[in-house]
Amino acid sequence: MHGTLTQQQPSNEDTPFAAPAQKKSLKLALYTLLLLVLLVFGEHLSRNSLLPALAPQVDGTSNPISVRAFHLLQSIDAKLCRALGCLDRTVSDFSAWKIISATLAPENAREGLKNAANQSLLQVEIQNRLAIAVLAPNLEISLTDAEESEIKSLQFTPQDWLPEAWQETHPDFLKRGIPSGEMLQVELPIALPPNAAGYRVRVLYP
């Protein structure tokens, strides 16, 4: 008797299990894609509230990584707006504003603060430190006496306190706001009462 050995064919017993594994991978990929689509459209629909909430500060106090990540988000958002259209609504945000300096100097130093007719000049340096444009606020100047009690309050609208030259180069600032990182140097003439001894400067939205 004699015979020949034949090479054993690989078993196909595992074949039925390959299809379910592929289906699971396909489902996972589809779920991931759906989640990304939902996130993209969610960002697009809620961009007017999401972007201000995520905006970091650009005055050097925020983590550089978060600033770069936000700029990347802004670039993606800009592409979505070009493709799908956007309704931009500039926000008002107190935390955006940083008053760097405020100096009140009498125009006539010899008359000091005792002359009721004395005109003084308030010099303010203010910055929008958020990574997005923000609506211009009002400026409020509170004049106080020697006991730090308020004796007079003055309010200036954006049209009053923003420099005229700046307004001419930004004619739509009431709608688009003040750009991110913009630093403004303001000079406002103020008539001081005779008992004025101090002052406070703050921003407010009407």
Side-chain angles (χ1 to χ4, degrees), residues 30-48 50-51 54 73 76-77 80 84:
L30 289 175
Y31 286 146
T32 303
L33 179 61
L34 179 61
L35 179 60
L36 289 175
V37 171
L38 290 176
L39 287 175
V40 167
F41 278 94
E43 186 278 336
H44 182 69
L45 294 174
S46 61
R47 60 184 301 277
N48 284 314
L50 181 64
L51 290 178
L54 296 178
L73 177 62
I76 295 173
D77 177 72
L80 287 174
L84 304 176

Side-chain angles (χ1 to χ4, degrees), residues 56-59 61 90-101 124-139 158 161-163 166 173 176-186 201-206:
Q57 296 176 355
V58 294
D59 60 350
T61 58
T90 309
V91 299
S92 55
D93 192 332
F94 289 102
S95 65
W97 300 103
K98 180 179 181 180
I99 297 177
I100 299 171
S101 64
V124 179
E125 190 172 10
I126 185 172
Q127 181 187 24
N128 171 17
R129 57 180 180 173
L130 280 190
I132 58 172
V134 180
L135 290 174
N138 288 358
L139 279 186
W161 69 264
L162 283 169
W166 189 92
F173 74 92
R176 295 186 176 274
I178 296 181
S180 168
E182 189 83 0
M183 190 173 296
L184 299 163
Q185 294 182 341
V186 183
V201 181
R202 67 175 184 141
V203 298
L204 59 89
Y205 287 98

Side-chain angles (χ1 to χ4, degrees), residues 3-25:
T4 57
L5 294 176
T6 58
Q7 190 173 7
Q8 187 176 0
Q9 297 296 323
S11 174
N12 293 329
E13 294 179 356
D14 294 338
T15 302
F17 297 97
Q22 292 177 351
K23 288 182 179 179
K24 288 182 179 179
S25 299

Side-chain angles (χ1 to χ4, degrees), residues 56-76:
Q57 296 176 355
V58 294
D59 60 350
T61 58
S62 295
N63 189 309
I65 296 177
S66 65
V67 175
R68 289 195 294 269
F70 184 77
H71 288 327
L72 176 61
L73 177 62
Q74 282 182 307
S75 64
I76 295 173

Side-chain angles (χ1 to χ4, degrees), residues 109-170:
R110 289 176 301 177
E111 294 180 1
L113 299 179
K114 296 181 179 181
N115 189 343
N118 183 52
Q119 287 287 331
S120 296
L121 194 64
L122 178 67
Q123 297 175 323
V124 179
E125 190 172 10
I126 185 172
Q127 181 187 24
N128 171 17
R129 57 180 180 173
L130 280 190
I132 58 172
V134 180
L135 290 174
N138 288 358
L139 279 186
E140 183 183 68
I141 292 89
S142 299
L143 300 175
T144 59
D145 59 16
E147 298 178 353
E148 297 188 356
S149 299
E150 183 177 310
I151 55 177
K152 188 176 182 180
S153 179
L154 303 171
Q155 282 195 27
F156 297 88
T157 65
Q159 296 95 322
D160 295 331
W161 69 264
L162 283 169
E164 291 184 5
W166 189 92
Q167 294 187 44
E168 291 176 358
T169 57
H170 300 77

